[in-house]
Amino acid sequence: MKPAPPGLLDSPARNFSASVVVFLVALPLCMGIAIASGVPVSAGLVTGIVGGIIVGFLAGAPLQVSGPAAGLTVIVYDIVVNHGIETLGLCVLVGGVLQIICGALGLGVWFRAVSPAVIRGMLTGIGVLIFASQMHVLVDDVPPGGGLKNLVTIPEAVSKGLPWPKLRSESERSAKVDLLKASGALHERQEILRERVAEHVPTDFAPVLGDENDPATIVIVEGLAEDAEALAATQAEIVEQLDGVREAFVAAGLDKGQKSERRVAHLAEATEALAAARDALASAGDPSAEAALEVRRKVDAAEDALLDFEYSLKNHDIAAKLGLLTIAVIVVWQFLVTKVGPLKPLNVIPAPLLAVLAATVAAWAFILPVVYVEVPASLADEIRFPTWTVLRTMDWQAVLGGGLLIGAVASAESLLCAAAVDKLHKFPKANFDRELFAQGVGNSICGLLGALPMTGVIVRSSANVRSGATSRSSAILHGVWLLIFVALLGWLLALIPTTALAGVLVYVGWRLIDFAAVGELWKLGKGELVVFFVTVAGIVAVDLLSGVVAGIILAAIRLLTKFGKLNAKVEIDESTPPGAPPIVHLRLQGAATFLKLPKLAETLDEIPSNADVRADLTELSYIDHACVDLLAEWRAQHEDTGGTLSVDWDLLEDRFRTAATPAANGIADGNGNDVVTEDEPVTKPI
């Protein structure tokens, strides 16, 4: 009989302290991932709150913590750039519904049936994209384009950040900081206004709007006309605020000096663009397709102009040094708490939080003129429910495509994470179908709220386990702390330099790049390495979906020559003495590939928890990396319940067809001796 899971209220002190640690880990990551995804920070915070409070109650992996994940930034950014932020919520909703259906149908294990070379290639490709884009944000710049362009222009970003900063007078720095924060707040208001306009004139529909008699055009025109007066009033307020910023700009003398011409030009462009947006909204009360198109163009242009003005005040060199300070604190702190004995108890203090705090304090103490996080006056301002206009005019092909991609990648990441977390504790293991269902509920809610998609996240989950969590209450409480902090102390987030969050993500992206995979996959065979590099190259050069699909197709083609039937049988030895653990013979015949992983998993689930299992591989023709991983994970769980697993290692190595050492696989030899420690999963989840 398997042990019962700890109750919700068990060990309240341990779970309370663990929840605080997880909250401190989650806070900077929620914001940084939102910025990297091209959405407001509030979208990441909402997802963190939902992932804690809602998914925490429903999760099939109680010690796993859910929230926005670095692995989905690439997908989200592509959706927002190509189809508009108003499309994101619907894509996340579709992905969530897909997860709910798959979880209810018991298909959770199938999301793990992917070649490890593809998974590791996907994570590496995502890591390269995050690293490349955030290197530009690190120097207070905007990523110039797609993944490949961001990558090849990294030297340009480095050159901008190389010069040693020359700090101006304190009064000039203070004035510039005030202007940066004021222009950032102005840009945030304009962004919210643009989102409201996009609910009436969606991105995908704006280029083809024009037929006055088209039903969708009528919906857009009439809906915009109804809200035009209120939207125009809001735009007028933003114009007034920009007048105040312009006065402060002149009073601070920032219209003079070497960079004055560029700053003055950007301020003039912003003033002109905002006035044009106000006038367009004012005239939209008279319904017409032409007016709707004009409003959308002018409001978009106004936001772009405000962003250009804000960034004309930036200092690449200062931002770069602040970002490097963030990375240095993360690296040094993690070294100290893992290598220096007296400091090891301090490893509960999250390195990313400490790094962001250090950068924030440095920016405050030295009054550094860098770009700061833009925070809405109220979290409710950024919650966007799907409107009737968006539903009527949406490009549903793009929505379904984006939703299916989000659902598939988020499910694979969450279940990989759940499998990794299972290795970190001795409590009952995850129910993958329930976990998949819970993730679907969370993503459906995030979709309705217009927030980021979520997955189970290994960084937060491992911090949860290391901090002593014993039940789901720690994950739930971390969501509560996020909600309370945002509601009561959200203004503190505006003190954080954007470069500090970029520094955290540069480090995260670098860590996702799986350099060790090259050597390990080479030992498994040249074909595995080719699959890995094809996946990485496709993701970086084209997009995430193309890279993953290319990797999966190539892995499937490779298996065609080795593919065959797998017969997995479980036979209980009737000669087992009374009272002794049952002796079970596990017989594998044919080829054990990742396509047969669900069948192998079902067979292993039939084995009694305390059985002495003896594997017979004499009729096994081939076993791949995914099935070896499954056997390793199952063996660890089986031993936790008092059972054993014995394998003829020499025969298994022959079937595995690799020059890898036994220590790469985590399975007992023929005598039941351990040949590997399992500190990390074979495939590294995000």
CSV table of all heavy atoms in Angstrom, one decimal, residues 259-298:
chain,number,residue,atom,x,y,z
A,259,LYS,N,23.4,65.1,-26.8
A,259,LYS,CA,22.3,64.2,-27.2
A,259,LYS,C,21.0,65.0,-27.3
A,259,LYS,O,20.0,64.4,-27.4
A,259,LYS,CB,22.2,63.1,-26.2
A,259,LYS,CG,23.4,62.2,-26.2
A,259,LYS,CD,23.2,61.0,-25.2
A,259,LYS,CE,24.4,60.1,-25.2
A,259,LYS,NZ,24.1,58.9,-24.2
A,260,SER,N,21.1,66.3,-27.2
A,260,SER,CA,19.8,67.1,-27.1
A,260,SER,C,19.0,67.0,-28.3
A,260,SER,O,17.7,66.9,-28.3
A,260,SER,CB,20.1,68.6,-26.7
A,260,SER,OG,20.9,69.1,-27.8
A,261,GLU,N,19.6,67.0,-29.5
A,261,GLU,CA,18.9,67.0,-30.7
A,261,GLU,C,18.0,65.7,-30.8
A,261,GLU,O,16.8,65.8,-31.3
A,261,GLU,CB,19.8,67.1,-31.9
A,261,GLU,CG,20.5,68.4,-32.0
A,261,GLU,CD,21.4,68.5,-33.3
A,261,GLU,OE1,21.3,67.6,-34.1
A,261,GLU,OE2,22.1,69.5,-33.4
A,262,ARG,N,18.6,64.6,-30.5
A,262,ARG,CA,17.8,63.3,-30.6
A,262,ARG,C,16.7,63.3,-29.6
A,262,ARG,O,15.6,62.9,-29.9
A,262,ARG,CB,18.8,62.2,-30.3
A,262,ARG,CG,18.1,60.8,-30.4
A,262,ARG,CD,19.1,59.7,-30.5
A,262,ARG,NE,20.0,59.7,-29.3
A,262,ARG,CZ,19.7,59.0,-28.2
A,262,ARG,NH1,18.6,58.3,-28.2
A,262,ARG,NH2,20.5,59.0,-27.2
A,263,ARG,N,16.9,63.8,-28.4
A,263,ARG,CA,15.9,63.8,-27.3
A,263,ARG,C,14.8,64.8,-27.7
A,263,ARG,O,13.6,64.4,-27.6
A,263,ARG,CB,16.5,64.3,-26.0
A,263,ARG,CG,17.5,63.3,-25.4
A,263,ARG,CD,18.2,63.9,-24.2
A,263,ARG,NE,19.1,63.0,-23.6
A,263,ARG,CZ,20.1,63.3,-22.8
A,263,ARG,NH1,20.3,64.6,-22.5
A,263,ARG,NH2,20.9,62.4,-22.3
A,264,VAL,N,15.1,66.0,-28.2
A,264,VAL,CA,14.1,67.0,-28.6
A,264,VAL,C,13.3,66.4,-29.7
A,264,VAL,O,12.0,66.6,-29.8
A,264,VAL,CB,14.8,68.3,-28.9
A,264,VAL,CG1,13.8,69.2,-29.6
A,264,VAL,CG2,15.4,68.9,-27.7
A,265,ALA,N,13.9,65.8,-30.7
A,265,ALA,CA,13.2,65.2,-31.8
A,265,ALA,C,12.2,64.1,-31.4
A,265,ALA,O,11.0,64.1,-31.8
A,265,ALA,CB,14.2,64.6,-32.8
A,266,HIS,N,12.6,63.3,-30.5
A,266,HIS,CA,11.7,62.2,-30.0
A,266,HIS,C,10.6,62.8,-29.2
A,266,HIS,O,9.4,62.3,-29.3
A,266,HIS,CB,12.5,61.2,-29.2
A,266,HIS,CG,13.3,60.2,-30.0
A,266,HIS,ND1,12.8,59.4,-31.0
A,266,HIS,CD2,14.6,59.9,-30.0
A,266,HIS,CE1,13.7,58.7,-31.5
A,266,HIS,NE2,14.9,59.0,-30.9
A,267,LEU,N,10.9,63.8,-28.4
A,267,LEU,CA,9.8,64.5,-27.6
A,267,LEU,C,8.8,65.1,-28.6
A,267,LEU,O,7.6,65.0,-28.4
A,267,LEU,CB,10.4,65.5,-26.7
A,267,LEU,CG,9.4,66.3,-25.8
A,267,LEU,CD1,8.5,65.3,-25.0
A,267,LEU,CD2,10.1,67.2,-24.9
A,268,ALA,N,9.3,65.8,-29.6
A,268,ALA,CA,8.4,66.4,-30.6
A,268,ALA,C,7.5,65.4,-31.3
A,268,ALA,O,6.3,65.6,-31.5
A,268,ALA,CB,9.2,67.2,-31.6
A,269,GLU,N,8.1,64.3,-31.7
A,269,GLU,CA,7.4,63.2,-32.3
A,269,GLU,C,6.3,62.6,-31.4
A,269,GLU,O,5.2,62.3,-31.9
A,269,GLU,CB,8.4,62.1,-32.8
A,269,GLU,CG,9.3,62.5,-33.9
A,269,GLU,CD,10.4,61.5,-34.2
A,269,GLU,OE1,10.4,60.4,-33.5
A,269,GLU,OE2,11.2,61.7,-35.0
A,270,ALA,N,6.7,62.4,-30.1
A,270,ALA,CA,5.7,61.9,-29.2
A,270,ALA,C,4.5,62.9,-29.0
A,270,ALA,O,3.3,62.5,-29.0
A,270,ALA,CB,6.4,61.6,-27.8
A,271,THR,N,4.8,64.2,-28.9
A,271,THR,CA,3.8,65.2,-28.8
A,271,THR,C,2.8,65.2,-30.0
A,271,THR,O,1.6,65.2,-29.8
A,271,THR,CB,4.4,66.6,-28.6
A,271,THR,OG1,5.3,66.6,-27.5
A,271,THR,CG2,3.3,67.6,-28.4
A,272,GLU,N,3.4,65.1,-31.2
A,272,GLU,CA,2.6,65.1,-32.4
A,272,GLU,C,1.8,63.9,-32.5
A,272,GLU,O,0.6,63.9,-32.9
A,272,GLU,CB,3.6,65.3,-33.6
A,272,GLU,CG,2.8,65.3,-34.9
A,272,GLU,CD,3.8,65.5,-36.1
A,272,GLU,OE1,5.0,65.7,-35.8
A,272,GLU,OE2,3.3,65.3,-37.2
A,273,ALA,N,2.4,62.7,-32.2
A,273,ALA,CA,1.7,61.4,-32.3
A,273,ALA,C,0.5,61.3,-31.3
A,273,ALA,O,-0.6,60.8,-31.6
A,273,ALA,CB,2.7,60.3,-32.0
A,274,LEU,N,0.7,61.8,-30.1
A,274,LEU,CA,-0.4,61.8,-29.1
A,274,LEU,C,-1.5,62.7,-29.5
A,274,LEU,O,-2.7,62.4,-29.3
A,274,LEU,CB,0.2,62.2,-27.7
A,274,LEU,CG,1.0,61.1,-27.0
A,274,LEU,CD1,1.7,61.7,-25.7
A,274,LEU,CD2,0.1,59.9,-26.6
A,275,ALA,N,-1.2,63.9,-30.0
A,275,ALA,CA,-2.2,64.8,-30.4
A,275,ALA,C,-3.0,64.2,-31.6
A,275,ALA,O,-4.2,64.3,-31.6
A,275,ALA,CB,-1.6,66.1,-30.8
A,276,ALA,N,-2.3,63.5,-32.5
A,276,ALA,CA,-3.0,62.9,-33.6
A,276,ALA,C,-3.9,61.8,-33.1
A,276,ALA,O,-5.0,61.6,-33.7
A,276,ALA,CB,-1.9,62.4,-34.6
A,277,ALA,N,-3.5,61.0,-32.2
A,277,ALA,CA,-4.3,59.9,-31.6
A,277,ALA,C,-5.5,60.5,-30.9
A,277,ALA,O,-6.6,60.0,-31.1
A,277,ALA,CB,-3.5,59.1,-30.6
A,278,ARG,N,-5.3,61.6,-30.2
A,278,ARG,CA,-6.5,62.2,-29.5
A,278,ARG,C,-7.5,62.7,-30.6
A,278,ARG,O,-8.7,62.5,-30.4
A,278,ARG,CB,-6.0,63.4,-28.7
A,278,ARG,CG,-7.1,64.2,-28.0
A,278,ARG,CD,-6.5,65.6,-27.6
A,278,ARG,NE,-6.0,66.3,-28.7
A,278,ARG,CZ,-5.1,67.3,-28.6
A,278,ARG,NH1,-4.7,67.7,-27.5
A,278,ARG,NH2,-4.7,68.0,-29.7
A,279,ASP,N,-7.0,63.4,-31.6
A,279,ASP,CA,-7.9,63.9,-32.7
A,279,ASP,C,-8.6,62.7,-33.4
A,279,ASP,O,-9.8,62.8,-33.7
A,279,ASP,CB,-7.2,64.7,-33.7
A,279,ASP,CG,-6.6,66.0,-33.0
A,279,ASP,OD1,-7.1,66.3,-31.9
A,279,ASP,OD2,-5.6,66.5,-33.6
A,280,ALA,N,-7.9,61.6,-33.6
A,280,ALA,CA,-8.5,60.5,-34.3
A,280,ALA,C,-9.6,59.9,-33.5
A,280,ALA,O,-10.7,59.5,-34.0
A,280,ALA,CB,-7.5,59.4,-34.6
A,281,LEU,N,-9.4,59.8,-32.2
A,281,LEU,CA,-10.4,59.2,-31.3
A,281,LEU,C,-11.6,60.1,-31.2
A,281,LEU,O,-12.8,59.7,-31.1
A,281,LEU,CB,-9.8,59.0,-29.9
A,281,LEU,CG,-8.9,57.7,-29.7
A,281,LEU,CD1,-8.1,57.7,-28.5
A,281,LEU,CD2,-9.8,56.5,-29.8
A,282,ALA,N,-11.3,61.4,-31.2
A,282,ALA,CA,-12.4,62.4,-31.1
A,282,ALA,C,-13.3,62.3,-32.3
A,282,ALA,O,-14.6,62.5,-32.2
A,282,ALA,CB,-11.9,63.8,-30.9
A,283,SER,N,-12.8,62.0,-33.4
A,283,SER,CA,-13.6,61.9,-34.7
A,283,SER,C,-14.2,60.6,-34.9
A,283,SER,O,-15.0,60.4,-35.8
A,283,SER,CB,-12.7,62.3,-35.9
A,283,SER,OG,-11.7,61.3,-36.0
A,284,ALA,N,-13.9,59.6,-34.0
A,284,ALA,CA,-14.4,58.2,-34.2
A,284,ALA,C,-15.8,58.1,-33.7
A,284,ALA,O,-16.4,57.0,-33.8
A,284,ALA,CB,-13.5,57.2,-33.4
A,285,GLY,N,-16.4,59.2,-33.1
A,285,GLY,CA,-17.8,59.1,-32.7
A,285,GLY,C,-18.7,59.0,-33.9
A,285,GLY,O,-19.8,58.5,-33.8
A,286,ASP,N,-18.2,59.4,-35.1
A,286,ASP,CA,-19.0,59.2,-36.3
A,286,ASP,C,-18.5,57.9,-36.9
A,286,ASP,O,-17.4,57.8,-37.4
A,286,ASP,CB,-18.7,60.4,-37.3
A,286,ASP,CG,-19.1,61.7,-36.7
A,286,ASP,OD1,-20.2,61.7,-36.0
A,286,ASP,OD2,-18.4,62.7,-36.9
A,287,PRO,N,-19.4,56.9,-36.9
A,287,PRO,CA,-18.9,55.5,-37.3
A,287,PRO,C,-18.5,55.4,-38.7
A,287,PRO,O,-19.3,55.9,-39.6
A,287,PRO,CB,-20.2,54.6,-37.0
A,287,PRO,CG,-21.3,55.5,-36.5
A,287,PRO,CD,-20.8,56.9,-36.5
A,288,SER,N,-17.3,54.9,-39.0
A,288,SER,CA,-16.9,54.6,-40.3
A,288,SER,C,-15.7,53.7,-40.2
A,288,SER,O,-14.9,53.7,-39.2
A,288,SER,CB,-16.5,55.9,-41.1
A,288,SER,OG,-15.3,56.4,-40.6
A,289,ALA,N,-15.5,52.9,-41.2
A,289,ALA,CA,-14.3,52.0,-41.2
A,289,ALA,C,-13.0,52.8,-41.3
A,289,ALA,O,-12.0,52.4,-40.7
A,289,ALA,CB,-14.5,51.0,-42.4
A,290,GLU,N,-13.1,53.9,-42.1
A,290,GLU,CA,-11.9,54.7,-42.2
A,290,GLU,C,-11.4,55.2,-40.9
A,290,GLU,O,-10.2,55.3,-40.5
A,290,GLU,CB,-12.1,55.8,-43.2
A,290,GLU,CG,-10.9,56.7,-43.5
A,290,GLU,CD,-11.2,57.8,-44.5
A,290,GLU,OE1,-12.3,57.8,-45.1
A,290,GLU,OE2,-10.3,58.6,-44.7
A,291,ALA,N,-12.4,55.7,-40.1
A,291,ALA,CA,-12.1,56.3,-38.8
A,291,ALA,C,-11.5,55.2,-37.8
A,291,ALA,O,-10.6,55.5,-37.1
A,291,ALA,CB,-13.4,56.9,-38.2
A,292,ALA,N,-12.1,54.0,-37.9
A,292,ALA,CA,-11.6,52.9,-37.1
A,292,ALA,C,-10.1,52.6,-37.4
A,292,ALA,O,-9.3,52.4,-36.5
A,292,ALA,CB,-12.5,51.7,-37.2
A,293,LEU,N,-9.8,52.5,-38.7
A,293,LEU,CA,-8.4,52.2,-39.1
A,293,LEU,C,-7.5,53.3,-38.7
A,293,LEU,O,-6.4,53.1,-38.2
A,293,LEU,CB,-8.4,52.1,-40.6
A,293,LEU,CG,-8.7,50.7,-41.2
A,293,LEU,CD1,-8.8,50.8,-42.7
A,293,LEU,CD2,-7.7,49.6,-40.8
A,294,GLU,N,-8.0,54.6,-38.8
A,294,GLU,CA,-7.2,55.7,-38.4
A,294,GLU,C,-6.9,55.7,-36.9
A,294,GLU,O,-5.7,56.0,-36.5
A,294,GLU,CB,-7.9,57.0,-38.8
A,294,GLU,CG,-7.1,58.3,-38.6
A,294,GLU,CD,-5.9,58.4,-39.6
A,294,GLU,OE1,-5.8,57.5,-40.5
A,294,GLU,OE2,-5.2,59.4,-39.5
A,295,VAL,N,-7.9,55.4,-36.1
A,295,VAL,CA,-7.7,55.3,-34.7
A,295,VAL,C,-6.6,54.3,-34.3
A,295,VAL,O,-5.7,54.5,-33.5
A,295,VAL,CB,-9.0,55.0,-33.9
A,295,VAL,CG1,-8.8,54.5,-32.5
A,295,VAL,CG2,-9.9,56.2,-34.0
A,296,ARG,N,-6.7,53.1,-34.9
A,296,ARG,CA,-5.8,52.0,-34.6
A,296,ARG,C,-4.4,52.4,-35.0
A,296,ARG,O,-3.4,52.2,-34.2
A,296,ARG,CB,-6.2,50.7,-35.3
A,296,ARG,CG,-5.3,49.5,-35.0
A,296,ARG,CD,-5.3,49.3,-33.5
A,296,ARG,NE,-4.1,48.5,-33.1
A,296,ARG,CZ,-4.1,47.2,-32.9
A,296,ARG,NH1,-5.2,46.5,-33.1
A,296,ARG,NH2,-3.0,46.6,-32.5
A,297,ARG,N,-4.2,53.0,-36.1
A,297,ARG,CA,-2.9,53.4,-36.6
A,297,ARG,C,-2.3,54.5,-35.7
A,297,ARG,O,-1.1,54.5,-35.3
A,297,ARG,CB,-2.9,53.9,-38.0
A,297,ARG,CG,-3.0,52.8,-39.1
A,297,ARG,CD,-2.7,53.3,-40.5
A,297,ARG,NE,-3.7,54.3,-40.9
A,297,ARG,CZ,-4.7,54.0,-41.7
A,297,ARG,NH1,-4.8,52.8,-42.1
A,297,ARG,NH2,-5.5,54.9,-42.1
A,298,LYS,N,-3.1,55.5,-35.4
A,298,LYS,CA,-2.6,56.6,-34.6
A,298,LYS,C,-2.3,56.3,-33.1
A,298,LYS,O,-1.3,56.7,-32.6
A,298,LYS,CB,-3.7,57.8,-34.6
A,298,LYS,CG,-4.0,58.4,-36.0
A,298,LYS,CD,-2.7,59.0,-36.6
A,298,LYS,CE,-3.1,59.7,-37.9
A,298,LYS,NZ,-1.9,60.3,-38.5
